Amino acid sequence: MTSDYSSDQAIVRLDGVHKSYGDPVALNGVSLGIRAGEAVAVMGPSGCGKSTLLNMIAGLDRPTSGTVTVHGEDLGELNETGLALFRRRRIGMIFQFFNLVDDLPALDNVALAAQLTGAPTSQARKRALELLDELGVAEQRDSYPATLSGGQRQRVAVARALMNRPVLLLADEPTGALDSRSGEQVMDLLIDLNQMGQTLLMVTHDPRLARRCASRLIEFADGRVVRESTLERAA
Amino acid sequence: MSAVWRASRAAVRRRKLQTTIIGVVVLLSTATITIALALLAAAAAPFDDAFSQQSGAHVVATFDSSKVSDVRLAQTAHRQGVRAAAGPFGEAVVVVPDGTPGIAAGPLTVVGRSGSDSPVDHLNLWAGRWPTGPGEIVLNSRPSGRGASFPPEFMVPLPGGSKLRVVGFASSVSQSAGAWVTPDQLAGLHPQSVQMLYRFADPGTDQSISAGLATATAGLPSDALTGSQSYLALKKAVAGQTDAYVPFLMTFGVLGLVVAVLIVANVVSGAVVSGFRHIGVLKALGFTPNQVAAVYVLMISVPAVVGCLIGIVLGNVLARPLLFGVFQGLGVESVSVSLWVDVVALLGMPAVVALAALGPAMRAHRLSAAEAISAGGAPRVGRALGVQRRLGATRLPRSVSLGLGLPFARPARTVLTMAAIVLGVAAVALASGLTSTMTAYGNAEELNGAYQVEVTVGGHRPDRPAPTLSDTDTQALLRSLGAVRVTADAWQNVKFTGSTQGLNGQFLRGDSASLNYTMVKGHWLDGPGQLVVSGAFLRQRGLAVGDQVRLDLGAKEVPVTIVGQLMAYDPDGVLSNWDTLMELAPGQRASHYMVQLAPGADADAFVTAFQKASGPGLYPAKHANELNQATLTIVSFATLFTLMLAAVAALGVFNTVVLTTHERRRNLGMLKSIGMTPRQVTVMMVTSMAALGAVGGLIGLPLGVLAHRLVVPAMVRAAGIDLPASMLHVWHAPLLALLAFAGLVIAILGALIPARSAARLTIAQVLHNE
Ligand SMILES: Nc1ncnc2c1ncn2[C@@H]1O[C@H](COP(=O)(O)OP(=O)(O)O)[C@@H](O)[C@H]1O
Ligand SMILES: [Mg+2]
């Protein structure tokens, strides 16, 4: 780990983070940093703790020991409500599955993120529509998740993650459930976002995709960082 | 079978929460139903039991001994239709003077019998012994604690100065006499009547009883039969007190049963739906559809049986004080819960639960393994879609509008949950209405507020000496101490000419209209020779307002007119003016004074001042505004049942929120990942149920009002009371407004705990387990 990442340019900093669920140790002393504007890919075998890492950074779970600081906030000092407000303002998340509320159409799914903050519905819908348009799914605004293709669903999910202009976008195997063509389209989307300045941390199984869109690769095994490398982007 | 058993045991263990909910719901419902059935069963029992134990007389017939010989009467025992008979027994009337310790003043019907044993009207000699010679008498009295202080030092004075010593107490379910002596002793009382006690082959109806008596007495001189008393009238008087509870208990019992079925159906179908994956696994393991259905029925039966057993115990424990309260007035020594009630509850409740479980279990039966595994418990979308969308466009906070949309995702569950809330609210409304009506009735019956102090005159019990102050002086003293109005009364047993049944006469002096007795027909006493009685009194005797009767006090008779019908009064009681008493028993003093004080006057101070000035034998007391036992019993049990039903309905809501949380955990996780705060989650879940509660309240309230409109008149009819219509109009705006919120309260109470645990759900956990 280079000294760059412990400096205060870091948007995310983990120091000696351990997380165990009783017997299985998910994270075993992880320290790392992510600077603003970076696109970082995390790779590693299944069960090595990648999702746990993302959950720690999003404040969805708390470390057994160690500290997680995001955008200057020590997450350990926030209560549940504080964490929710933190996620609302700072984090956008995309998962492999289960990204959308089944009984809301695409537009409302995206607007939801702003509405929870108390933003007026008209304003929230307006911005949601702009995002859907930017991501090429404006036509699907009134469709329900069940009627969308996997790729469309994931685009809607990205739109929703971007709704509150997060400082950090977290993606946990965003293409894992997609066919390769849709997967690539979603990846292109993420690359574009990153090039516009969006800080990005994603977990993927596909080394080709990682190489294409990440500027740095972190390899994980058994809850530890085993290798870090800077990448020349392929595209 | 053992595989099924093992699988259901595992299922029970995995679903601790749902198992507990089923258990508690069944427990509370069983307790409610056990109490209701116990009362229903007991309502009929005391009289019937005593009647068959004592071989009660279907008819007690009185004959004029100068018109018909004992031999001819004895022959009537062998007439067709007469199954058994006893008698003839000589009968005389002794007038007990006022102030005789231990014995009510008035006419006492004394019958000569050689023992308490008899094929008809076998007496229950519950204290002391039967008279063995002259000078001894046994009184008719209901069994009570008085037996403990036996022998009493009571004497019945006879005209001419001699006395009869009380040597025992016996009770006659047929009320065939007020006291018994040996036949020899009776001869000394110069009897002019004899009585025959009959049991008939066909005692079913008033008509068959009259027919039986006509056959038995056919051929006797036409004016020989001077009076007769049917057991049906006695039975009606006894049952009237308990029958009043039946409509009330039936309503709550049925409500309890329906709510239990609804909740159990909801809980079970929820368990099946959320157990889809589990069903898939069972089927994949090779369980046949029947075995899968059996697993689910068994899984429900275990908590149902346990809940049922505890519920029966609880019901028995709670029923005892209620039964005691209801039957206290009958002089029954003890009333217990009939065994059949427990048996019915024990077999019935689990059967009902199993039936409720059958539908969802059949669904588990049909589901294919693949279908079940892939269904994964996600709620079907469709109907809900439009609603959620429209809600999203409103100005409501998003957590509220999301919550409002939730019930539409599972319409069947929503309907079941809401139905339970509706019935819970109906129960609350019914209980509130009943309480208002019963309290109004109780206040009117107890003359609450009509007077503040009462003074009882001693001399009727050995421990209470007679007063030294005269009637007039007492009245004057009360006035001098500041009484605004004094109404006095005296109690005197009387009878109607030609009947053996004693009547409790109450004779009022002073401005008796100020006592505010509630009338339902005719008018209050406003002159001499008048009588007011209860509706039950009139019905039992086939009389009506306007009828003329003759009051009989042994030596004297007075003609009187029934001028009014009271809302509530002793079914054997007559109320009349002091003038009437003075004609029957000249010179009798008042035994009780009711004192009205100036508004705001200190009743305690008045009592103390009176005590100081009055000397011995006068017992003043504050007239507390109390409610009678029946009112208290009904009000407290309506409250208890209502709390139970509301708790059960709230448990239904609780279960629904638990299921919804479980099924929607991914959505919840997702909502949290985009920054929904724990409070917003709680608000969303509580709102989803509060909406049901609000609607359920609005539907349940009119149902409760309707039930009140049906139950109260039925109770009133059964009790033989006449309720003024005003006491049914209890639904005032503030009460209605308050009750409309009952559904909301039930829903919020039920939803709060599981909503908060949904708020605390760790998202990482949810995501990991998927
Ligand atoms: N909520 C949880 N409860 C128990 N164990 C968990 C939980 N989350 C993760 N684990 C365990 O922690 C380890 C790492 O899991 P995870 O971070 O999901 O791995 P990856 O995403 O790399 O496949 C695994 O052994 C997993 O079983
Ligand atoms: Mg993972």
Side-chain angles (χ1 to χ4, degrees):
Chain A
M1 219 173 310
T2 57
S3 56
D4 296 20
Y5 303 119
S6 54
S7 76
D8 40 10
Q9 311 162 339
I11 249 183
V12 177
R13 211 170 63 220
L14 275 74
D15 278 313
V17 172
H18 284 259
K19 176 71 184 180
S20 66
Y21 296 99
D23 195 23
V25 175
L27 295 180
N28 195 1
V30 175
S31 299
L32 58 82
I34 297 167
R35 280 177 303 174
E38 267 196 301
V40 179
V42 181
M43 292 188 66
S46 179
C48 69
K50 306 181 295 293
S51 296
T52 306
L53 174 73
L54 258 58
N55 289 344
M56 294 298 149
I57 296 172
L60 290 179
D61 209 347
R62 293 173 187 276
T64 313
S65 67
T67 58
V68 180
T69 313
V70 179
H71 206 250
E73 284 185 277
D74 180 352
L75 302 193
E77 286 176 0
L78 299 177
N79 61 13
E80 287 305 310
T81 304
L83 286 174
L85 297 177
F86 155 77
R87 278 195 295 277
R88 196 186 273 181
R89 281 196 300 262
R90 310 279 183 233
I91 305 287
M93 279 197 96
I94 312 162
F95 304 99
Q96 183 177 2
F97 302 110
F98 325 132
N99 268 315
L100 303 174
V101 178
D102 301 322
D103 34 19
L104 288 179
L107 184 71
D108 285 9
N109 256 292
V110 178
L112 198 56
Q115 286 175 315
L116 284 181
T117 69
T121 301
S122 56
Q123 196 182 312
R125 284 191 167 170
K126 186 161 164 278
R127 171 155 168 77
L129 193 57
E130 283 167 15
L131 280 168
L132 287 176
D133 194 31
E134 276 175 41
L135 297 179
V137 280
E139 279 182 20
Q140 281 74 35
R141 50 177 290 184
D142 292 329
S143 305
Y144 287 91
T147 66
L148 296 176
S149 73
Q152 288 170 330
R153 246 180 270 176
Q154 211 55 311
R155 279 159 189 267
V156 175
V158 172
R160 202 200 39 218
L162 295 175
M163 200 53 195
N164 295 332
R165 300 187 174 84
V167 295
L168 179 64
L169 191 59
L170 299 172
D172 194 349
E173 301 190 32
T175 62
L178 303 180
D179 60 74
S180 61
R181 212 175 67 86
S182 319
E184 273 182 37
Q185 283 174 350
V186 169
M187 273 303 173
D188 287 342
L189 196 70
L190 294 178
I191 292 167
D192 289 349
L193 286 171
N194 178 240
Q195 273 166 359
M196 289 187 285
Q198 176 70 57
T199 313
L200 180 66
L201 175 61
M202 67 179 153
V203 171
T204 179
H205 268 312
D206 186 338
R208 215 170 49 83
L209 282 180
R211 256 165 236 292
R212 249 186 72 194
C213 61
S215 54
R216 187 148 63 98
L217 178 68
I218 296 177
E219 285 171 76
F220 245 67
D222 294 331
R224 269 183 235 267
V225 178
V226 290
R227 201 162 65 156
E228 277 192 67
S229 46
T230 310
L231 299 171
E232 269 325 303
R233 275 192 217 178
Chain B
M1 194 61 205
S2 76
V4 169
W5 176 244
R6 237 176 291 124
S8 23
R9 226 176 34 192
V12 166
R13 245 183 260 129
R14 206 171 32 244
R15 289 181 181 69
K16 288 209 183 78
L17 189 61
Q18 285 191 337
T19 304
T20 311
I21 292 176
I22 295 175
V24 173
V25 166
V26 173
L27 188 162
L28 291 177
S29 313
T30 310
T32 309
I33 288 164
T34 305
I35 295 170
L37 286 178
L39 248 115
L40 283 180
F47 183 84
D48 289 346
D49 286 356
F51 195 80
S52 67
Q53 264 169 32
Q54 298 187 15
S55 302
H58 292 135
V59 164
V60 177
T62 312
F63 300 89
D64 186 336
S65 55
S66 65
K67 303 266 166 61
V68 58
S69 72
D70 284 3
V71 179
R72 284 193 72 184
L73 283 177
Q75 284 163 356
T76 62
H78 308 296
R79 294 278 164 87
Q80 200 192 347
V82 176
R83 235 182 40 207
F89 302 126
E91 182 182 305
V93 173
V94 172
V95 177
V96 177
D98 192 31
T100 307
I103 303 161
L108 183 68
T109 303
V110 182
V111 166
R113 276 169 67 165
S114 51
S116 59
D117 280 1
S118 169
V120 179
D121 193 32
H122 178 91
L123 303 176
N124 171 20
L125 183 66
W126 55 271
R129 57 173 176 81
W130 197 256
T132 49
E136 295 181 341
I137 190 167
V138 162
L139 293 180
N140 179 4
S141 173
R142 285 163 178 162
S144 73
R146 267 211 285 178
S149 61
F150 207 83
E153 303 289 301
F154 297 156
M155 292 290 187
V156 178
L158 294 176
S162 60
K163 288 182 171 183
L164 298 175
R165 203 159 69 81
V166 176
V167 295
F169 288 111
S171 73
S172 159
V173 70
S174 311
Q175 296 298 334
S176 59
W180 295 270
V181 293
T182 59
D184 288 351
Q185 172 63 62
L186 192 83
L189 299 174
H190 314 294
Q192 276 150 25
S193 314
V194 282
Q195 70 173 210
M196 283 294 295
L197 310 171
Y198 296 108
R199 280 178 74 86
F200 296 127
D202 174 17
T205 63
D206 285 335
Q207 285 83 352
S208 65
I209 297 259
S210 309
L213 184 61
T215 319
T217 58
L220 299 181
S222 63
D223 52 355
L225 181 69
T226 53
S228 71
Q229 177 178 299
S230 156
Y231 84 107
L232 288 176
L234 293 171
K235 181 176 175 167
K236 219 189 281 175
V238 170
Q241 300 177 41
T242 52
D243 283 356
Y245 292 85
V246 172
F248 155 76
L249 287 162
M250 282 300 278
T251 308
F252 276 99
V254 169
L255 272 176
L257 192 66
V258 175
V259 170
V261 168
L262 283 172
I263 305 276
V264 168
N266 199 9
V267 170
V268 177
S269 57
V272 170
V273 170
S274 72
F276 271 173
R277 191 162 293 181
H278 174 236
I279 292 170
V281 171
L282 287 180
K283 292 199 169 176
L285 280 174
F287 277 72
T288 67
N290 281 336
Q291 284 175 322
V292 171
V295 167
Y296 272 77
V297 171
L298 256 179
M299 179 184 105
I300 302 311
S301 304
V302 171
V305 168
V306 173
C308 179
L309 285 175
I310 304 177
I312 289 175
V313 172
L314 183 68
N316 276 275
V317 168
L318 288 174
R320 211 146 286 163
L322 176 63
L323 291 175
F324 182 74
V326 172
F327 296 109
Q328 212 177 16
L330 298 186
V332 181
E333 277 161 293
S334 78
V335 183
S336 58
V337 178
S338 310
L339 190 64
W340 72 260
V341 169
D342 291 343
V343 172
V344 165
L346 188 61
L347 300 178
M349 273 315 278
V352 166
V353 171
L355 225 62
L358 212 58
M362 288 323 287
R363 199 166 158 208
H365 183 279
R366 281 194 304 271
L367 221 56
S368 82
E371 231 181 332
I373 290 178
S374 67
R380 260 169 304 147
V381 285
R383 274 157 291 201
L385 298 179
V387 179
Q388 275 293 19
R389 174 161 208 190
R390 252 169 280 138
L391 283 167
T394 62
R395 288 176 172 281
L396 294 169
R398 200 62 181 107
S399 44
V400 170
S401 58
L402 280 174
L404 288 176
L406 280 180
F408 295 93
R410 283 236 180 253
R413 179 179 302 161
T414 299
V415 167
L416 286 178
T417 310
M418 190 143 90
I421 297 177
V422 165
L423 295 181
V425 172
V428 173
L430 172 59
S432 314
L434 264 178
T435 303
S436 304
T437 301
M438 291 300 295
T439 309
Y441 171 77
N443 278 328
E445 196 192 17
E446 297 286 302
L447 306 180
N448 280 344
Y451 55 98
Q452 289 75 42
V453 172
E454 58 188 326
V455 177
T456 314
V457 178
H460 298 271
R461 275 168 35 191
D463 59 329
R464 289 198 157 187
T468 48
L469 217 55
S470 77
D471 196 355
T472 333
D473 291 346
T474 308
Q475 185 102 11
L477 175 61
L478 287 169
R479 288 213 173 266
S480 74
L481 289 173
V484 172
R485 203 182 265 135
V486 179
T487 319
D489 64 4
W491 290 85
Q492 172 69 58
N493 280 4
V494 290
K495 51 193 210 88
F496 285 155
T497 305
S499 153
T500 57
Q501 201 188 1
L503 303 176
N504 306 320
Q506 186 184 4
F507 299 87
L508 292 161
R509 183 175 72 195
D511 183 6
S512 61
S514 72
L515 293 176
N516 272 326
Y517 274 96
T518 312
M519 306 290 299
V520 292
K521 218 181 261 173
H523 62 84
W524 180 245
L525 306 169
D526 61 4
Q530 297 183 347
L531 216 57
V532 290
V533 295
S534 68
F537 184 98
L538 294 175
R539 282 186 289 275
Q540 273 173 35
R541 291 166 180 81
L543 294 168
V545 172
D547 284 356
Q548 302 216 334
V549 285
R550 294 179 75 80
L551 282 186
D552 180 341
L553 204 156
K556 295 244 176 69
E557 276 186 31
V558 190
V560 286
T561 308
I562 299 174
V563 297
Q565 181 181 332
L566 295 159
M567 173 191 78
Y569 196 65
D570 178 358
D572 295 323
V574 295
L575 254 174
S576 187
N577 273 326
W578 195 254
D579 306 331
T580 315
L581 179 66
M582 289 302 101
E583 281 192 54
L584 288 168
Q588 184 166 334
R589 73 164 292 163
S591 58
H592 180 228
Y593 303 84
M594 292 160 277
V595 182
Q596 213 170 312
L597 301 177
D602 183 351
D604 288 314
F606 185 92
V607 167
T608 316
F610 181 83
Q611 240 158 0
K612 232 179 251 159
S614 68
L618 291 165
Y619 303 90
K622 234 166 93 169
H623 177 60
N625 284 348
E626 283 171 346
L627 290 175
N628 64 22
Q629 189 63 38
T631 304
L632 283 179
T633 307
I634 289 194
V635 167
S636 50
F637 272 83
T639 310
L640 179 72
F641 285 146
T642 302
L643 287 179
M644 281 191 179
L645 284 174
V648 167
L651 268 174
V653 171
F654 182 98
N655 177 62
T656 297
V657 175
V658 169
L659 286 176
T660 307
T661 304
H662 180 70
E663 287 167 7
R664 298 201 149 241
R665 57 198 183 281
R666 308 153 167 192
N667 270 333
L668 278 173
M670 195 234 53
L671 287 169
K672 286 178 156 191
S673 77
I674 63 169
M676 194 176 223
T677 61
R679 229 186 103 210
Q680 285 176 314
V681 175
T682 309
V683 167
M684 177 174 74
M685 298 310 278
V686 170
T687 303
S688 71
M689 291 296 112
L692 296 195
V695 177
L698 292 181
I699 302 174
L701 181 53
L703 280 183
V705 173
L706 186 70
H708 177 259
R709 274 291 151 87
L710 297 175
V711 169
V712 173
M715 289 173 70
V716 159
R717 230 175 296 126
I721 302 166
D722 303 280
L723 204 65
S726 65
M727 289 186 186
L728 275 173
H729 300 309
V730 295
W731 305 105
H732 309 300
L735 178 64
L736 287 175
L738 209 66
L739 287 173
F741 282 106
L744 206 58
V745 172
I746 290 175
I748 290 177
L749 286 181
L752 211 54
I753 292 171
R756 295 187 66 139
S757 64
R760 279 197 299 268
L761 202 71
T762 320
I763 314 152
Q765 195 78 39
V766 172
L767 297 173
H768 172 70
N769 288 337
E770 296 304 320

